[in-house]
Amino acid sequence: MSSNPQWKSFQPPTLTDTSIIDYKPMPVMKDMVANNLYAQTHNNYANYNVYGGAAGGGGGGGGPASNPSSGQQSNNSSTARFPIGTFTTSDGADLYNGDTSSNNSYNMGNSSNNTGTRETGIIEKLLHSYGFIQCCERQARLFFHFSQFSGNIEHLKIGDPVEFEMTYDRRTGKPIASIVSKIAPEVVLSEERVTGTVTTELRADGSTAGGDSQGRISYENRGECFFLPYTKDDVEGNVTLRTGDKVSFQIATNPRGNLGATHVRLENPAHPVKYQGVICSMKESFGFIERADVVKEIFFHFSEAKTKEELQLGDDVEFIIQTRNGKEVACNITTLPPGTVVFEDICDETVKGQVLKPLERGPRSHQNTDPLPGRIRYRAPDHSEVEVPFGDKDQLRDFTLRHGDWVSFRIATDRRDQLQRATNISLLLESFEVSGERRERGAVVARKDNFGFIRCADRDARIYFNYSEVLDMDVDIQVDMEVEFTVAQDAMSNFANQKQSAIRIKTLPRGSVVFETVVERGANITNDKCMQGPHENGLILYTSRDGTKRSIPFSPTACMGQALPALGDKVEFNVAQVKRTKELKAVDVNLEPHNERAIKQWNLLTRHHNSTAHYQGFIAALKDGFGFIETNTHDSEVFFHFSNFDGDTSCLELGSEVEYTVGSRTSSGGSCASAENVTLLPKGTIAPHVTIGEEVFTGKIVRPLRCVNPEQATYCGLITANTPSDNSEDHVEYEFGIVGLQNKRELLQVGDAVNFQVDSEGRAVNISAIRKKKKSTVDSIKGQFGFLSYELEEGKKLFFHMSEVKDGQNSLQAGDSVEFVVVTNQRNGKSFACNVSKI
């Protein structure tokens, strides 16, 4: 039913014992049925013509018109008028069809005795061929024969209101009812919906142009036109009905017996109203539009789009509304220029307030159904305290807010419901002073797409951070940038993995973070250990001020010059204490100005770097973020950082051919030249100018490549060939590089037996290790690596990488039998399996 309180069910009164003839009806029955329904029949339709046209263009009741008589009516009057009860019942039969014929007959009184006055009553009892009517206007119970009923007697039920004339039985002289007709069915709310057209529309205030509070809807029934009233409360949905709109509705009766339309739905507007909105969600073939006129979303199907291009999430659109299957849907959708639809007005004034309820982060945040769960309190211009909500899209970034934080924001007012909320929220730095939270400092050491890591000044571990936690909107986070932050448990972590992260990050000027403090300056001593690689630490022996001899470490980044100090070099340095570990280290390490070796190396590097020529070489080693290139002369290597590679570094493999230029600086202050503008070349670009002999030699490794042993000074490896004689003078040695290995990933170490061939330049090529193969089974596989059920040490399975699996068998599974070779890294003592093949 409609929410309009004037419509309610019409219920016939419950009668008492049907054997009592002199039954006194209830006042409600007499008022409702006798007065209201009778008045509706004789008076409400007086202003309509026979086709239901309203005199003066109005329309009050719900049935066709009848010309009122002077109070007298013939026996055929029931067929001369259209009764109210011309509706369709649940069984599909007509309540009135004009059939007055009957096979039954009954002796009626003389028509001269008929008073001619029509009365109303309620069917009290129905028997085989007759029944009884309880009068509404007198305390009487009248007999009537079915032959006197004007209609199909099967449609008459106990409780139906009827109209009749009272006459007398000429044999007994008792009063009886004649010319009985049904005046109203049980019309409360029709089960089936009726379609019609709006003839009189309502204004926005709920009134018509003539001041009436009811509109009119016309509909046809059996070829005749009827007009039903409706009010603003009878219209479903937030729509405005216009003249000519096609609608569907249900028919109901009010307490006075008048019929009207309720549950009115707009089906097809005569002049469609254009609505605007923004597409807020999309699925496979449908989506929803957030409307600009009301705080509501409306369904749409992709087939309703009237645009050449596909609709996209966030598009501003225009549409009309139609009702289908009882639900409003958006139709005839067209796109609008971006920015056309505006939901809210944002005040230009910035307001300062305090957070009462911050937004929840982590898995629990999805359980909150409130779209604006946050709360901020501020003082209005009239000095009153006002509380405004905010949501997850109202912060300038998704930084963490806490209870009590001071923030600046602007007030947004929704045009649809005038709801105010806080938006453009930014955190004020005075919040840290008020809260007294512990702030730490550090420097960014790594950055990815939307996250990075910070090296902390007060703790050993690097700490994770997300870019959304950076408070400075205009700052692009870079490596080595110094920051201040708060350490908190990551909102996305659980009890089993309580990961910490940096939040509420603020950038600092360079030099603000102190990782180490200089405790001694101007030390001058001899370097004790040569540092061979760009990431290898060295040791310096020196005598402290108190006369104690000490050894102190230094790193490549601590060296000031272009060349690293070598074994025995005199250096100058400062002694610093690491803040987080309290350990001492050498910083600002610099070679003495009169060091001849340093001067020669500097001049050589300078000449080499000033060249802009392009070089070619082979990838000799790949590390985490950097690698080394073997020159095409096979006797030296060049450092390169992945940032200097033009392309996807995942495409690089050991032995890949590349082209590069030599940079103007050495690698991280090291002695190895740095390659820049590294590009990958097609295989076979570097054409070999040598021929390979057919003879296959055996020998053993006497010096590996420097990538295997970074502490050696010479880059290339060395093989000594086996001879029939044990005389060492007969042994021939051959140098080799990365391109000479058949398996570029194989780590040939001192003492390994090998087979090889010799090229025309006297270098060893096609080198393969002679190792005894072992057999085992695959214990487990985890992504790109796995473990074999082979134990060199008790309780430790043998590691292998999937790249070591031969013949492309990269789909090994646990339990597979395999052959492999065990290799031990002499630097760290760790063993692993290589040349793994499935049996």
Side-chain angles (χ1 to χ4, degrees):
M1 292 292 290
S2 170
S3 59
N4 187 352
Q6 71 169 328
W7 301 114
K8 67 178 183 179
S9 301
F10 171 80
Q11 300 291 344
T14 303
L15 301 180
T16 59
D17 188 357
T18 56
S19 63
I20 302 176
I21 296 181
D22 296 330
Y23 172 73
K24 184 177 182 181
M26 297 174 62
V28 175
M29 181 198 305
K30 184 174 181 179
D31 294 340
M32 180 181 296
V33 180
N35 295 338
N36 295 339
L37 295 182
Y38 186 83
Q40 175 188 4
T41 307
H42 289 79
N43 300 326
N44 287 357
Y45 303 126
N47 295 327
Y48 290 84
N49 57 26
V50 71
Y51 293 102
S66 62
N67 295 325
S69 64
S70 60
Q72 303 294 329
Q73 193 169 9
S74 66
N75 293 345
N76 296 328
S77 62
S78 60
T79 59
R81 293 202 333 260
F82 192 96
I84 298 177
T86 309
F87 298 101
T88 302
T89 60
S90 59
D91 59 3
D94 293 333
L95 295 175
Y96 174 80
N97 59 12
D99 183 13
T100 59
S101 62
S102 176
N103 294 328
N104 299 321
S105 61
Y106 189 78
N107 294 324
M108 302 301 298
N110 195 328
S111 61
S112 61
N113 298 328
N114 190 358
T115 61
T117 303
R118 301 286 288 175
E119 297 181 20
T120 57
I122 300 294
I123 298 296
E124 183 187 78
K125 193 172 184 178
L126 292 174
L127 297 176
H128 183 264
S129 59
Y130 62 94
F132 294 90
I133 299 174
Q134 177 64 49
C135 300
C136 292
E137 299 174 343
R138 67 179 71 202
Q139 295 182 2
R141 180 171 176 264
L142 300 181
F143 169 92
F144 79 100
H145 194 271
F146 286 175
S147 61
Q148 294 297 310
F149 178 69
S150 302
N152 191 341
I153 194 64
E154 294 180 358
H155 297 165
L156 192 63
K157 299 180 180 61
I158 296 175
D160 285 349
V162 292
E163 191 180 55
F164 61 91
E165 292 183 9
M166 192 192 74
T167 185
Y168 295 92
D169 187 347
R170 60 186 176 183
R171 293 183 303 172
T172 63
K174 291 183 179 181
I176 61 174
S178 64
I179 315 178
V180 181
S181 61
K182 192 173 180 180
I183 59 172
E186 283 187 88
V187 178
V188 178
L189 185 65
S190 60
E191 295 182 2
E192 297 182 1
R193 297 187 67 82
V194 184
T195 59
T197 305
V198 176
T199 59
T200 305
E201 65 183 56
L202 292 172
R203 290 179 175 176
D205 58 358
S207 64
T208 62
D212 192 1
S213 61
Q214 292 182 334
R216 296 291 183 270
I217 298 175
S218 67
Y219 76 102
E220 290 188 3
N221 189 0
R222 295 178 145 220
E224 299 194 53
C225 185
F226 300 87
F227 292 83
L228 294 180
Y230 75 94
T231 65
K232 185 178 181 181
D233 294 331
D234 293 316
V235 181
E236 293 185 351
N238 188 30
V239 296
T240 302
L241 300 181
R242 304 296 181 187
T243 301
D245 288 348
K246 300 296 182 181
V247 295
S248 66
F249 56 92
Q250 290 175 278
I251 301 174
T253 181
N254 63 10
R256 294 176 296 178
N258 295 327
L259 300 178
T262 186
H263 295 309
V264 182
R265 297 173 186 169
L266 177 62
E267 300 291 348
N268 189 9
H271 306 284
V273 179
K274 294 286 187 178
Y275 297 90
Q276 293 183 347
V278 176
I279 297 177
C280 58
S281 64
M282 299 180 72
K283 303 295 183 182
E284 291 83 0
S285 59
F286 64 92
F288 289 88
I289 300 173
E290 184 175 2
R291 293 172 57 174
D293 56 324
V294 291
V295 184
K296 186 178 180 181
E297 295 179 2
I298 187 169
F299 171 90
F300 76 94
H301 194 272
F302 287 177
S303 60
E304 292 294 339
K306 305 301 180 183
T307 58
K308 295 181 179 179
E309 299 180 356
E310 293 184 358
L311 296 176
Q312 301 292 333
L313 193 66
D315 281 351
D316 291 2
V317 293
E318 190 174 57
F319 56 93
I320 65 173
I321 296 178
Q322 291 185 0
T323 303
R324 295 177 181 174
N325 298 326
K327 295 183 179 180
E328 292 182 343
V329 297
C331 304
N332 298 338
I333 303 171
T334 57
T335 56
L336 298 172
T340 302
V341 180
V342 180
F343 292 109
E344 59 193 12
D345 298 312
I346 300 178
C347 180
D348 295 333
E349 181 182 358
T350 301
V351 184
K352 177 181 176 181
Q354 195 171 21
V355 177
L356 293 180
K357 182 182 178 183
L359 300 178
E360 291 186 2
R361 304 289 181 181
R364 293 182 56 187
S365 61
H366 300 288
Q367 302 175 3
N368 195 341
T369 58
D370 186 359
L372 302 174
R375 296 292 184 272
I376 295 177
R377 180 175 57 194
Y378 72 98
R379 192 172 296 278
D382 59 356
H383 302 289
S384 62
E385 290 187 352
V386 182
E387 184 177 320
V388 290
F390 68 94
D392 56 355
K393 297 181 181 180
D394 291 318
Q395 295 180 199
L396 292 179
R397 274 188 177 175
D398 292 334
F399 51 82
T400 301
L401 280 179
R402 292 180 170 178
H403 175 77
D405 283 343
W406 286 97
V407 293
S408 62
F409 60 94
R410 293 183 180 181
I411 297 176
T413 304
D414 197 307
R415 293 182 175 182
R416 298 167 292 182
D417 57 3
Q418 303 305 308
L419 175 66
Q420 290 188 335
R421 77 175 201 280
T423 190
N424 294 345
I425 302 172
S426 60
L427 182 64
L428 299 177
L429 299 182
E430 61 188 85
S431 299
F432 304 132
E433 301 175 2
V434 175
S435 63
E437 65 183 79
R438 183 173 180 266
R439 302 282 286 173
E440 298 186 25
R441 293 188 173 189
V444 178
V445 292
R447 61 185 296 269
K448 301 295 182 181
D449 295 334
N450 59 350
F451 65 93
F453 293 90
I454 298 174
R455 174 194 173 198
C456 303
D458 299 321
R459 60 179 72 206
D460 291 333
R462 299 192 309 174
I463 194 163
Y464 167 89
F465 76 96
N466 192 290
Y467 286 175
S468 62
E469 290 288 350
V470 180
L471 302 180
D472 305 288
M473 293 294 299
D474 301 329
V475 174
D476 184 18
I477 294 296
Q478 300 293 336
V479 175
D480 295 333
M481 185 173 287
E482 298 179 6
V483 292
E484 184 182 71
F485 54 92
T486 300
V487 177
Q489 181 179 343
D490 195 331
M492 301 304 295
S493 64
N494 50 38
F495 292 103
N497 181 22
Q498 296 184 357
K499 184 176 67 175
Q500 289 185 323
S501 62
I503 62 173
R504 301 149 74 91
I505 302 170
K506 183 184 183 305
T507 57
L508 299 173
R510 183 171 293 276
S512 301
V513 181
V514 178
F515 291 97
E516 52 204 19
T517 306
V518 176
V519 295
E520 187 176 348
R521 296 182 180 274
N524 189 331
I525 201 62
T526 302
N527 182 19
D528 183 60
K529 181 179 178 182
C530 178
M531 184 172 57
Q532 298 295 339
H535 294 275
E536 298 292 329
N537 288 335
L539 288 176
I540 298 175
L541 291 176
Y542 79 107
T543 304
S544 62
R545 292 177 180 177
D546 58 4
T548 304
K549 289 188 176 182
R550 297 179 179 177
S551 63
I552 187 172
F554 73 98
S555 65
T557 57
C559 300
M560 302 297 292
Q562 291 287 342
L564 288 177
L567 184 63
D569 285 343
K570 292 284 186 177
V571 292
E572 292 180 350
F573 62 95
N574 296 325
V575 179
Q577 186 180 47
V578 180
K579 183 179 179 182
R580 67 178 185 276
T581 62
K582 308 303 180 184
E583 296 177 353
L584 297 179
K585 62 182 292 188
V587 297
D588 303 330
V589 181
N590 196 7
L591 290 169
E592 285 189 346
H594 302 292
N595 191 315
E596 294 182 2
R597 187 194 68 82
I599 295 174
K600 289 181 180 179
Q601 186 176 12
W602 170 257
N603 293 335
L604 177 63
L605 290 173
T606 302
R607 289 196 302 269
H608 189 58
H609 294 158
N610 288 338
S611 174
T612 58
H614 286 75
Y615 300 92
Q616 294 179 341
F618 307 89
I619 298 296
L622 293 172
K623 306 294 183 180
D624 186 11
F626 66 96
F628 292 90
I629 300 173
E630 179 182 301
T631 62
N632 57 0
T633 58
H634 310 292
D635 58 356
S636 61
E637 62 183 357
V638 181
F639 170 87
F640 78 99
H641 194 274
F642 282 179
S643 61
N644 289 322
F645 177 71
D646 185 12
D648 186 3
T649 54
S650 62
C651 299
L652 292 177
E653 297 179 351
L654 294 179
S656 296
E657 300 176 22
V658 293
E659 187 176 65
Y660 62 94
T661 60
V662 178
S664 59
R665 291 183 58 84
T666 55
S667 60
S668 303
S671 58
C672 180
S674 176
E676 297 180 354
N677 304 319
V678 182
T679 57
L680 187 64
L681 296 176
K683 188 175 182 180
T685 302
I686 305 177
H689 301 288
V690 294
T691 58
I692 300 175
E694 296 182 356
E695 185 178 359
V696 178
F697 299 91
T698 60
K700 64 178 180 180
I701 303 296
V702 295
R703 185 180 68 217
L705 291 173
R706 188 156 64 188
C707 61
V708 178
N709 181 22
E711 294 185 357
Q712 69 184 31
T714 306
Y715 166 73
C716 57
L718 190 65
I719 298 176
T720 180
N722 296 333
T723 60
S725 173
D726 294 334
N727 188 357
S728 60
E729 295 180 357
D730 295 336
H731 290 181
V732 182
E733 295 181 340
Y734 301 94
E735 292 185 343
F736 69 92
I738 190 69
V739 294
L741 302 178
Q742 282 189 348
N743 182 3
K744 304 297 189 295
R745 298 182 60 87
E746 196 165 30
L747 300 178
L748 296 179
Q749 304 184 26
V750 175
D752 285 345
V754 294
N755 290 328
F756 65 96
Q757 294 172 283
V758 179
D759 63 16
S760 58
E761 293 184 351
R763 301 181 63 85
V765 295
N766 295 335
I767 305 168
S768 60
I770 304 175
R771 291 193 175 104
K772 183 178 180 180
K773 288 195 173 184
K774 301 181 182 297
K775 295 182 179 181
S776 183
T777 58
V778 178
D779 179 75
S780 61
I781 294 179
K782 300 179 179 179
Q784 292 300 312
F785 63 91
F787 294 90
L788 301 179
S789 299
Y790 184 89
E791 297 183 3
L792 291 176
E793 299 180 19
E794 185 177 356
K796 292 186 178 181
K797 306 292 184 181
L798 187 63
F799 171 89
F800 75 94
H801 196 273
M802 295 301 292
S803 60
E804 293 291 346
V805 179
K806 297 178 62 178
D807 302 327
Q809 298 173 3
N810 56 357
S811 59
L812 288 179
Q813 297 181 359
D816 289 346
S817 298
V818 293
E819 285 184 338
F820 59 94
V821 174
V822 178
V823 177
T824 302
N825 190 326
Q826 295 180 356
R827 292 184 58 199
N828 53 30
K830 294 182 178 180
S831 299
F832 60 93
C834 66
N835 297 338
V836 182
S837 60
K838 185 176 179 180
I839 300 176

